[in-house]
Coordinates of all heavy atoms in Angstrom, one line a residue:
I260 N 65.6 -45.4 35.7 CA 64.1 -45.2 35.5 C 63.9 -43.8 34.9 O 63.1 -43.5 34.0 CB 63.3 -45.5 36.7 CG1 63.3 -46.9 37.1 CG2 61.8 -45.0 36.5 CD1 62.6 -47.3 38.4
A296 N 49.2 -17.7 12.8 CA 49.2 -16.3 12.7 C 48.3 -15.8 11.5 O 48.0 -16.6 10.6 CB 50.6 -15.7 12.5
E360 N -34.7 3.6 -22.1 CA -35.5 4.1 -23.2 C -36.9 4.6 -22.8 O -37.4 5.6 -23.2 CB -35.6 3.0 -24.3 CG -34.4 2.7 -25.0 CD -33.8 3.8 -25.7 OE1 -34.5 4.6 -26.3 OE2 -32.5 4.0 -25.6
A399 N -72.2 50.7 -16.3 CA -73.1 51.0 -15.2 C -72.7 52.3 -14.4 O -73.6 53.0 -14.0 CB -73.0 49.8 -14.2
N477 N -20.6 -1.3 -17.7 CA -19.7 -1.5 -18.9 C -18.2 -1.4 -18.5 O -17.4 -2.2 -19.0 CB -20.1 -0.5 -20.0 CG -21.4 -0.8 -20.7 OD1 -21.7 -2.0 -20.8 ND2 -22.1 0.2 -21.1
N500 N -22.6 -12.1 -8.4 CA -22.9 -11.9 -7.0 C -22.1 -10.7 -6.5 O -20.9 -10.7 -6.5 CB -22.4 -13.2 -6.2 CG -22.7 -13.1 -4.7 OD1 -23.2 -12.1 -4.2 ND2 -22.5 -14.2 -4.0
P504 N -16.0 -11.0 -5.5 CA -15.4 -10.5 -6.7 C -15.6 -11.5 -7.9 O -15.4 -12.7 -7.7 CB -13.9 -10.3 -6.3 CG -13.7 -11.3 -5.2 CD -15.0 -11.3 -4.4
A518 N 8.1 -7.9 4.8 CA 8.9 -8.7 5.7 C 8.7 -8.1 7.1 O 8.2 -6.9 7.3 CB 10.4 -8.7 5.4
I554 N 9.6 1.6 5.9 CA 9.6 1.0 7.2 C 8.3 1.5 8.0 O 8.1 2.7 8.0 CB 10.8 1.4 8.0 CG1 12.1 1.0 7.2 CG2 10.8 0.7 9.4 CD1 13.4 1.5 7.8
Y595 N 21.4 -5.6 4.7 CA 22.8 -5.2 5.0 C 22.7 -3.8 5.7 O 22.5 -2.8 5.0 CB 23.7 -5.2 3.8 CG 24.1 -6.6 3.4 CD1 23.2 -7.5 2.8 CD2 25.3 -7.1 3.8 CE1 23.5 -8.8 2.5 CE2 25.7 -8.4 3.5 CZ 24.8 -9.3 2.9 OH 25.1 -10.6 2.6
I623 N 53.4 -10.3 16.1 CA 54.6 -11.0 16.0 C 55.7 -10.1 15.3 O 55.5 -9.7 14.2 CB 54.4 -12.3 15.2 CG1 53.3 -13.2 15.9 CG2 55.7 -13.1 15.1 CD1 52.9 -14.4 15.1
L650 N 46.6 -1.9 15.5 CA 47.2 -2.7 14.4 C 47.4 -1.9 13.2 O 46.7 -1.0 12.9 CB 46.3 -3.9 14.2 CG 46.1 -4.9 15.4 CD1 45.1 -6.0 15.0 CD2 47.4 -5.4 15.9

Side-chain angles (χ1 to χ4, degrees):
I260 293 173
E360 292 301 319
N477 284 329
N500 183 352
I554 303 169
Y595 284 77
I623 303 173
L650 300 177

